[in-house]
Amino acid sequence: MGERLIKFTPIFRMGSMTFFDHIPLLPPDSIVGLQVAVKADKRPSKVNLSIGVYQTEALKTPLLDAVRHAESEMLAEGRNREYLPIDGDKSLIEELGKLVFGERHWKKSEGTIAGFQAVGGTGALRLSGEFLKAHISGEIHISDPTWANHRGVFIRCGLGLHNYPYYDFATHELNFDAMMEGFKKLPEKSVVLLHACCHNPTGKDPTPDQWRQIRDLFVGRKLIPFFDLAYQGFHRGLDEDAHAVRLFAEAGIEMLVVYSCAKNFSLYAERVGALFVCAQSETAARNISSQIKILIRTLYSNPPIHGAQIVARILKSPILSKEWEAELMQMRKRTNQMRKAFAEALSTKIPARDFDYITSGAGMFCYSGLSSDQVNRLIAEHALYLPQDGRLNLAGLTPNNLDFVTTAIASVS
Ligand SMILES: Cc1ncc(COP(=O)(O)O)c(C=O)c1O
């Protein structure tokens, strides 16, 4: 071993050419990179509202009791670590299928929905992008704005990106009419990414009636819906937050759904997610399955087991799922309470402005409307961390830091 090192080192020292020196440095991911700055900041008053992670009032990311109980049952059973099948843990797919589509529709569609365990929601997005590029379309339509990584993932898949109007930056509301006008101009078979609930980053979702109009337009214009469901249970409840997906699925529309268990099971690092492709026949679903399995096999062979079995065990057990639902309700309640309290505190401190748009938003995020200059001042002067687009994670607010945060925002507004 030592001999090899001695033998090769001089070549690198002497060489006029290197293999790697031409590689340029890329900037860090805007949100993940910010976490490094937060960690390095020594100011004790620092507040981090930049990353999309739920925190308790004690600013801890919780380990849910349902997860802990599932894990101790698993430990007692002493499971082996054989490879999972390429498409993952069958019971995870079965249980998530029921959770997403509703038990009745899932059973009714047996054989026509191809389901895959994925490495988090991001892994499911990547698989979808690769699948779409190879078989459906070289283009994808995403909301303006959207979660920053949507762009990154789809660009890496080689898809052409197009924005559709979504948010009115002046009123801070969903611009439904402009969005529908945008959809009407799309050619048939355009793939359109839709946030199923808790739109990231704006927190603005269509109403149930607007979803019905979107569905009808998609059917009429033959557009392909591609749902991203990463926050089920974080707005109104598990069934309510699956409303849009179920509305489309029950109409028999061919579509894709990607799912993340990171937030609602507080299992961020376990990377549990799924991809569902709803087809119109068992043959189509089988063919799709064969294609996506090849993608998985050549990317990472098969998915990891631990987190998947935690989620499957919770969902299969009436006791554990009841416990989980109660914990999810707590997370949802706290986030919604902080949303309301944040809007009220801002209204008191900046009386000239109306913050009802924050109160009426959904999920973990609100778009604060702060400019990147204001964000930079918040970071420099107050150690209050937000991403450059001013998106704010309400689940990082607590009754203890609310006054500090809203005073800081008022001081730069
Ligand atoms: C809209 C949206 N989709 C997908 C994801 C990815 O989730 P995961 O952490 O499971 O990859 C996120 C995470 O923040 C998200 O906000």
Side-chain angles (χ1 to χ4, degrees):
M1 195 59 191
E3 240 182 51
R4 281 168 66 91
L5 273 177
I6 291 162
K7 204 164 155 191
F8 283 111
T9 307
I11 298 175
F12 286 103
R13 275 212 213 103
M14 284 163 45
S16 56
M17 182 205 91
T18 75
F19 295 133
F20 300 140
D21 280 4
H22 66 287
I23 299 169
L25 177 70
L26 289 178
D29 175 271
S30 57
I31 293 182
V32 179
L34 203 55
Q35 308 320 303
V36 179
V38 175
K39 266 210 175 112
D41 193 326
K42 293 283 178 282
R43 289 172 288 181
S45 63
K46 71 182 172 187
V47 175
N48 183 9
L49 302 180
S50 66
I51 198 161
V53 171
Y54 174 83
Q55 295 188 313
T56 63
E57 232 171 75
L59 291 178
K60 295 270 180 281
T61 301
L63 171 61
L64 301 186
D65 283 340
V67 168
R68 207 197 321 263
H69 292 147
E71 274 186 314
S72 49
E73 287 179 16
M74 283 154 60
L75 194 66
E77 282 170 15
R79 299 158 314 124
N80 68 31
R81 295 294 191 276
E82 260 181 69
Y83 286 129
L84 281 176
I86 294 173
D87 48 356
D89 185 308
K90 294 271 183 286
S91 57
L92 174 79
I93 293 304
E94 180 69 20
E95 296 305 322
L96 285 182
K98 289 190 251 172
L99 195 65
V100 172
F101 297 100
E103 206 156 336
R104 196 166 40 92
H105 185 73
W106 178 251
K107 289 224 169 93
K108 203 175 110 196
S109 318
E110 203 183 340
T112 62
I113 303 181
F116 312 85
Q117 183 187 332
V119 183
T122 308
L125 285 163
R126 182 69 193 245
L127 287 177
S128 308
E130 299 285 350
F131 169 73
L132 291 169
K133 177 80 165 61
H135 302 287
I136 309 292
S137 171
E139 317 282 317
I140 187 162
H141 298 265
I142 55 178
S143 63
D144 177 24
T146 192
W147 180 49
N149 210 23
H150 281 149
R151 305 187 75 81
V153 168
F154 297 134
I155 286 171
R156 286 280 154 183
C157 293
L159 289 169
L161 297 187
H162 304 275
N163 287 325
Y164 62 82
Y166 190 81
Y167 188 67
D168 184 331
F169 289 82
T171 61
H172 303 283
E173 294 295 345
L174 167 68
N175 195 343
F176 182 69
D177 293 342
M179 177 174 74
M180 294 295 269
E181 283 311 308
F183 289 158
K184 282 180 196 160
K185 292 189 194 122
L186 300 183
E188 270 187 18
K189 290 197 191 154
S190 293
V191 178
V192 183
L193 186 81
L194 299 162
H195 296 230
C197 69
C198 305
H199 184 273
N200 179 3
T202 66
K204 291 290 161 176
D205 292 340
T207 62
D209 181 55
Q210 287 172 334
W211 276 121
R212 266 190 294 281
Q213 295 180 52
I214 299 169
R215 177 202 57 192
D216 294 346
L217 191 145
F218 271 53
V219 173
R221 295 208 51 85
K222 297 191 170 60
L223 305 178
I224 304 175
F226 174 6
F227 280 103
D228 184 344
L229 180 49
Y231 298 90
Q232 189 181 8
F234 259 91
H235 183 208
R236 295 212 161 91
L238 287 167
D239 290 330
E240 293 88 338
D241 294 352
H243 169 78
V245 172
R246 293 181 189 177
L247 194 68
F248 279 63
E250 284 163 15
I253 301 170
E254 291 170 288
M255 63 186 197
L256 286 82
V257 183
V258 300
Y259 194 85
S260 169
C261 300
K263 327 277 164 165
N264 54 2
F265 286 85
S266 196
L267 277 176
Y268 302 87
E270 290 292 350
R271 315 305 301 133
V272 191
L275 163 62
F276 296 96
V277 186
C278 304
Q280 284 191 340
S281 70
E282 290 189 19
T283 308
R286 216 175 10 252
N287 296 349
I288 291 164
S289 181
S290 72
Q291 295 289 344
I292 293 181
K293 282 201 255 186
I294 289 293
L295 284 174
I296 295 171
R297 179 73 176 140
T298 53
L299 280 165
Y300 51 87
S301 195
N302 46 70
I305 196 167
H306 188 70
Q309 293 199 337
I310 294 173
V311 172
R313 183 172 284 261
I314 291 174
L315 293 176
K316 263 197 297 196
S317 150
I319 294 171
L320 291 179
S321 57
K322 205 164 159 217
E323 185 172 36
W324 168 63
E325 283 182 35
E327 293 183 285
L328 176 59
M329 188 177 74
Q330 262 323 106
M331 295 196 281
R332 170 170 72 240
K333 249 172 99 178
R334 195 186 101 66
T335 311
N336 288 339
Q337 273 164 4
M338 290 324 299
R339 175 180 280 286
K340 200 160 162 272
F342 180 58
E344 280 168 9
L346 283 178
S347 303
T348 310
K349 288 179 181 155
I350 315 172
R353 278 186 54 196
D354 180 358
F355 293 99
D356 282 354
Y357 74 92
I358 294 180
T359 319
S360 62
M364 263 195 209
F365 303 113
C366 84
Y367 228 28
S368 63
L370 291 160
S371 68
S372 70
D373 282 348
Q374 288 170 321
V375 167
N376 288 336
R377 280 188 60 197
L378 286 172
I379 295 173
E381 296 168 20
H382 302 278
L384 172 54
Y385 283 84
L386 306 182
Q388 288 295 310
D389 65 359
R391 185 197 77 172
L392 187 144
N393 175 14
L394 297 153
L397 291 171
T398 72
N400 289 336
N401 67 23
L402 189 67
D403 185 55
F404 169 81
V405 169
T406 48
T407 304
I409 291 175
S411 79
V412 302
S413 293

